[in-house]
Amino acid sequence: MPLTSEKFNALLKWLNLDPTAAAQQYLSIQKGLIAMFAAEGFCDAEGLADETINRVADRLPEIGPDYDGKPVRYFRGVARNIIFETKRRKEIATDTLPERPV
């Protein structure tokens, strides 16, 4: 699901109660996620970073109140799962190779 303004605001509050600090932390996390996906060789690093943020925002009602630790670690864990999922999708052959004439 796309990131709604309500989910985005809840995400920022989870990152930090100070709006300015939350915005800076969000941008830092987003930049780190993009770098993480780019280092893995994905051409759509920004899109995968957005997917990571969306998944965290979707899970926030479940994890937010009880999560103990730095939020960036949770983002990285979700990103690692997305890396595994994306690589697994790339490994699945969808077509057979064309035969070469002799």
Side-chain angles (χ1 to χ4, degrees):
M1 291 188 83
L3 188 61
T4 65
S5 61
E6 295 161 351
K7 287 182 183 180
F8 183 69
N9 290 332
L11 182 66
L12 290 177
K13 286 181 184 176
W14 182 60
L15 293 175
N16 199 311
L17 294 177
D18 175 32
T20 303
Q24 290 174 344
Q25 193 171 358
Y26 172 83
L27 292 174
S28 175
I29 289 170
Q30 183 185 42
K31 183 179 176 182
L33 291 171
I34 291 169
M36 187 175 176
F37 289 117
E40 289 290 330
F42 294 111
C43 59
D44 187 22
E46 292 88 0
L48 293 172
D50 289 343
E51 173 68 21
T52 303
I53 292 167
N54 289 346
R55 287 189 190 188
V56 172
D58 288 343
R59 296 281 320 269
L60 199 55
E62 300 167 31
I63 62 157
D66 298 327
Y67 186 77
D68 185 32
K70 294 182 180 183
V72 68
R73 291 183 179 165
Y74 192 83
F75 281 94
R76 287 182 187 150
V78 172
R80 279 192 298 273
N81 289 340
I82 290 175
I83 288 169
F84 292 138
E85 291 171 13
T86 305
K87 285 184 176 181
R88 187 172 50 235
R89 280 192 298 247
K90 284 185 174 184
E91 290 177 3
I92 298 172
T94 57
D95 293 329
T96 58
L97 294 173
E99 293 189 31
R100 293 175 45 190
V102 181

